[in-house]
Amino acid sequence: MKLNFSTKQLFKYLHLIISLVVVFWLISLFEIYQIYTSQEVTISAWNFVANYFLNDFLTVAILAILIFPIYFLTALISKRLGVIIVQIIFVLVTLIQFSLVKYSLATLLFLGADILGYSYSDIYITTASSGATSIASLIPFLVLPIVLIVLRYLITNYFKNTGVLLFLGVLLLSLVGAKLALPNTFDTDHKNKLYFFVEDIIRYQVEKSLTNVKNFANRDDYPLLRPSSEIKDVLSPFFNTSDSIQGPNIVILMIEGLGGEFVGNHAYAGFTPYLDSLIPKSLYWENFVSNSGRTFGVYPSLLASLPYGDNGFMQMEKLPSHISLISVLKANGYTTSYYSGGRSSFDRKINFFEDNGIDFVVDEGNFGPGYARTQATSEGFSWGYPDGELYRKILASLNGLQQPRLDIVLTISNHEPFKFPNKSLFLKRVDSIFSTPKISSEEKKILKPHKEILASLMYTDYAIKNFIEAYKKRPDYKHTIFIITGDHRLIPIPQKDKLCRFHVPMIIYSPMLKRTKRFKSISSHWDIAPSLMSFLEHNYPLLELEEVAWMSNGLDTVAAFRNIHKIPLMRTKGGIHDYIYKDYFYSRGKLYKIKEDFNVYNVSDKQLLKEVVDSLNAFKKLNAYVTKKNKIYPEALNIYKKSTIVFSDEEIATIQELTSGLSFDETFNVAKKVAFEGDYKTARLLCNYILSEIPNHADARILKGRTYAWENNFKQAELELQNVLKRVPYYDEVYLALIDLYWWMHQDEKSISIAKKAYKNNLKNPNISFKLAKAYQRMNDLKQATKLMDSILQIYPENQNYITFKQSLKQ
């Protein structure tokens, strides 16, 4: 076959390349403008533009090489087809690049391999919270493809070939010159977002293959396992303890976005007056770090001192055997609860809690009446309930719960889109702080564009104050310990350095404290569970933990600045690139010295850098081994672990056959179908499959309970349905199922009791009233039954079932 590819076609390809370069530059100018108008920038705009433009050109040059074979082959078929195919590819590339830039501007992070750690549902929720789905935000996605096409037309018709070659030649020489003379041009901070995205995913996959489970075939030990006696009890010297109680109540407040800079005497302090007032009355670690840059990492780190896995511990499909504050304290008589105004399914939190056998989970799905949700955005998004409502719900829920208690709380108000009650009031309070000399003029310049966020922070602080002050009126306050920390530093306010994202306060406040202290020594969320368990074991009648598998030996209570820990940090779900080693901080190839005030500065020491990198790589191998081979804590020793559903090979084959390509909601519909056909065993199998991934899928649990009732296994049915009622006390379907069950069991008194509980919870489902009337009928209380039917028929006068039943009461 004769090759028909001319110089003219080559230049058409170069025209496409130049048009993409220019569009990338336009996107970069948009990004630079946004950065300069919203952040404090130390380098000149010209340096910014030069760095961005060269990185854009490098990305397009690589794309040009990779895509050329596609253009060449399609152009052989049709000259026009080759141009059209490449133009379509470049339009898609442009849209992806702009999306990545928008993400970076919103989160102050580059999107990379961390996208692999999120479900579609989590991505949608995160995107919706930033308001990124507004109509105005979609305009650039329509304009940029048009700009790309127009540019290609103009270049083709008005640029000479010599001009094209000269333009590309100058850029190539600039690229080579920058690479040789200015290597910092290609640092991560300046990289093209698309380049980083692809590079990071490739790096992640390569790193993942190097720590593949096959590489540990000859290893079968538990490297984290050690006697609990090795964990020193460092908290007892600060507490008055009492043998008269089984153990103190523990309240853990994980405050969304609470960075260390905003508390105490740090740079942006003044917006958390109540927390600041607690510091002199507490144990306070001012140089404390979260082990992750997002909320997904706080639960396993703080509650169980666990490694990360590939994308975060909670993201693993089957969690390795481990122990936690939840499982161990529950085994010692504690009532364990989790409270949040948001979704417990987000980031698979509910899976982690289920695995640890938590007693109660209160999230946005079971607040009930009398609580006001956070105001929705213009797109209809709301995270759930604001902090003030959350604390009200907690205080209302505590009465009647058996003591001692472990209460775990995650707040959500200090998060995009920063919607919270009485916003105008807190904005005025922010203005009043700006009018004082507490904040320097330089700090005001940085903070003023973020008044809404600071107002949110003040609301969060105010809600904490109301909660703790109300808690003080409770009789159990005198033996309660409050642990207050941030999940990570809030995102939108510019960060002074890469360590800043992890810097959070750590406060232990309690009426049981006999002395207070401030600590400059560095500790992390990994250190909380080991120290807390050691303290409880040494002072209260708990079952002794013979062996533990914590990632840390506990909190450092030395007042002076130092670091005795090795702390790998997972900024996002895309891998571990940050590390605190001695008094150094490593981040993506760069090494920084940590100063006593927790600021950092760049250092150049190749030998030290190698030592740090080798140490981090050793951790990565350990992390991969213990999580992939289930070698954290032996199953045989784990008396605290809740048994999980294990599917046989035959069951897995059945599940795959019936659910291939189906969502979980579609799978539930299949489960209903086979249940109605009388195949209860398969229906329960599919329900268990759904629940293994979505433990709070109430409908699957209800269907499972009903199948037991249909088999006349009433005892098991009642256990299942009462479990659902505990989880979702404001869902009418569970009440209907229980009333049906007690009807079949001829326990009409229980039917009436369940119906009355539904009424108490403000559930006005007419079917509940109807079934209650039938229960009264069977008990020969026709007066009550008639009264109920009269009230139903006032609302539904045309319902023939209700009319017929009412008539039967008169016969």
Side-chain angles (χ1 to χ4, degrees), residues 337 339 360 362 366-371 387-402 405 407 409 466-467 470-471 474 476 729-730 760-761:
S337 305
Y339 301 91
F360 299 100
V362 176
N366 51 10
F367 262 61
Y371 298 92
D387 294 354
E389 297 293 270
L390 169 63
Y391 291 130
R392 276 210 309 126
K393 178 67 177 177
I394 295 169
L395 291 166
S397 303
L398 295 181
N399 293 329
L401 292 183
Q402 179 182 326
R405 295 187 310 269
D407 297 314
V409 182
N466 287 344
F467 173 63
Y471 206 113
R474 297 178 56 84
D476 54 351
Y730 301 97
K760 185 179 178 182
N761 287 340

Side-chain angles (χ1 to χ4, degrees), residues 280-298:
K281 309 168 188 174
S282 307
L283 304 178
Y284 170 54
W285 284 261
E286 58 184 272
N287 294 328
F288 199 81
V289 293
S290 169
N291 292 85
S292 60
R294 284 193 179 275
T295 311
F296 74 89
V298 69

Side-chain angles (χ1 to χ4, degrees), residues 12-135:
K12 282 185 177 180
Y13 187 65
L14 294 179
H15 298 160
L16 287 163
I17 297 302
I18 293 174
S19 65
L20 185 62
V21 170
V22 175
V23 168
F24 270 30
W25 285 353
L26 291 173
I27 294 172
S28 287
L29 288 173
F30 165 79
E31 182 181 5
I32 292 166
Y33 172 78
Q34 293 291 326
I35 291 171
Y36 265 83
T37 55
S38 64
Q39 302 178 26
E40 185 71 14
V41 182
T42 55
I43 68 172
S44 72
W46 287 113
N47 280 343
F48 232 136
V49 170
N51 289 334
Y52 271 55
F53 276 24
L54 284 173
N55 277 277
D56 287 342
F57 177 67
L58 173 64
T59 303
V60 175
I62 294 170
L63 276 169
I65 295 168
L66 294 174
I67 294 171
F68 182 75
I70 298 173
Y71 176 72
F72 180 80
L73 293 173
T74 52
L76 291 177
I77 300 169
S78 165
K79 295 176 183 179
R80 189 177 180 187
L81 180 63
V83 173
I84 292 172
I85 292 294
V86 173
Q87 197 155 268
I88 290 171
I89 293 172
F90 282 4
V91 165
L92 293 173
V93 165
T94 297
L95 297 178
I96 294 169
Q97 168 69 1
F98 186 72
S99 299
L100 293 171
V101 167
K102 289 282 287 181
Y103 176 89
S104 178
L105 289 170
T107 64
L108 303 184
L109 288 171
F110 286 31
L111 183 63
D114 47 317
I115 196 173
L116 304 176
Y118 288 94
S119 66
Y120 290 121
S121 172
D122 287 357
I123 292 171
Y124 170 77
I125 291 169
T126 304
T127 304
S129 73
S130 65
T133 54
S134 66
I135 294 174

Side-chain angles (χ1 to χ4, degrees), residues 318 354-355 641-646:
K318 187 177 186 305
E354 288 284 329
D355 197 75
K641 184 176 172 63
K642 182 182 178 182
S643 59
T644 55
I645 301 169
V646 179

